[in-house]
Amino acid sequence: MFLSRPDLFRHIESEELRFDPMISESQVAQVSIDLRLGEHFTVFKNFPEHISAIRMAPTLWQSEDLWKEMDAPSFILEPGKFVLAQTLESVHMPKHLMGLIEGRSSYARIGISVHVTAPKIDPGFIGQITLEMANFGKARVELRAEIDKPAQLLVSRVSTPLEESDQYGAHPTTDVFQYQTSPLPRSSG
């Protein structure tokens, strides 16, 4: 069951569900919380000729040949291109709640997808949420940090609150996105 606006406010006021910086009342909609875009953007570099393909491996995230990270007040997302961005807000999800990150319809209508396939925010997660943004439209789109709200967080209760040992972040070698400050995961050791 998704939490409605009154329940969201109760969890925020009790500080069970926390945001840093704090969200405004206007960011809380009927059954979701609008999240602002942060100023950190990560893109694939132009691939060197000696890299014919990439594969999913822990070393992928540390490859300086593949990634370009930048902080900027805005980012132009070209048609057919992809960027890893982050929410401005860091989210602290308590043990009895989980979230789903979704795009907002106003951005979808101009061709912007906010997540490719990773919408789940686990109980215990603390950090900024990475947005896997793609432009499927025909126009260049300016993404403005601290102004645009391209994503919404839906919050749901879990059937049984998780013990600390089962919450996200309890396993540092696999829970590599805990306390993330970059869209690229920290080393999994």
Side-chain angles (χ1 to χ4, degrees):
M1 169 184 357
F2 291 108
L3 301 186
S4 65
R5 195 168 199 258
D7 291 323
L8 290 167
F9 278 127
R10 273 196 291 279
H11 280 83
I12 293 166
E13 288 167 7
S14 70
E15 297 187 351
E16 291 177 291
L17 177 61
R18 295 193 302 271
F19 298 89
D20 183 27
M22 182 52 120
I23 60 168
S24 68
E25 185 175 323
S26 67
Q27 286 176 258
V28 182
Q30 293 83 0
V31 293
S32 63
I33 299 165
D34 295 337
L35 298 177
R36 294 171 288 179
L37 187 64
E39 64 177 21
H40 195 81
F41 301 94
T42 303
V43 295
F44 281 113
K45 289 181 179 179
N46 291 330
F47 286 102
E49 290 180 21
H50 67 276
I51 298 176
S52 61
I54 59 173
R55 73 174 73 108
M56 189 55 75
T59 56
L60 173 68
W61 311 116
Q62 286 79 41
S63 174
E64 293 182 16
D65 289 340
L66 295 179
W67 303 103
K68 177 181 179 184
E69 294 188 77
M70 65 202 87
D71 290 329
S74 67
F75 181 88
I76 302 294
L77 188 53
E78 301 283 345
K81 297 296 182 180
F82 174 80
V83 65
L84 293 174
Q86 289 185 295
T87 59
L88 175 68
E89 295 86 3
S90 179
V91 177
H92 180 167
M93 193 65 62
K95 66 182 181 179
H96 65 287
L97 299 177
M98 59 136 331
L100 293 173
I101 194 74
E102 292 291 344
R104 295 186 59 217
S105 61
S106 53
Y107 289 84
R109 290 174 184 166
I110 59 172
I112 300 297
S113 170
V114 168
H115 75 81
V116 174
T117 180
K120 181 173 60 83
I121 311 302
D122 288 303
F125 174 82
I126 301 170
Q128 292 168 283
I129 298 171
T130 294
L131 306 175
E132 303 133 351
M133 302 180 78
N135 184 348
F136 294 104
K138 294 188 181 270
R140 302 167 78 215
V141 176
E142 181 181 14
L143 302 171
R144 301 166 301 165
E146 299 185 28
I147 297 171
D148 288 339
K149 298 176 203 150
Q152 57 188 326
L153 178 66
L154 290 88
V155 181
S156 178
R157 286 185 178 90
V158 296
S159 58
T160 302
L162 294 178
E163 296 294 329
E164 192 170 320
S165 61
D166 289 329
Q167 294 176 42
Y168 193 87
H171 308 282
T173 57
T174 57
D175 298 344
V176 296
F177 297 108
Q178 188 73 312
Y179 306 113
Q180 67 184 22
T181 57
S182 166
L184 301 179
R186 70 187 194 296
S187 174
S188 60

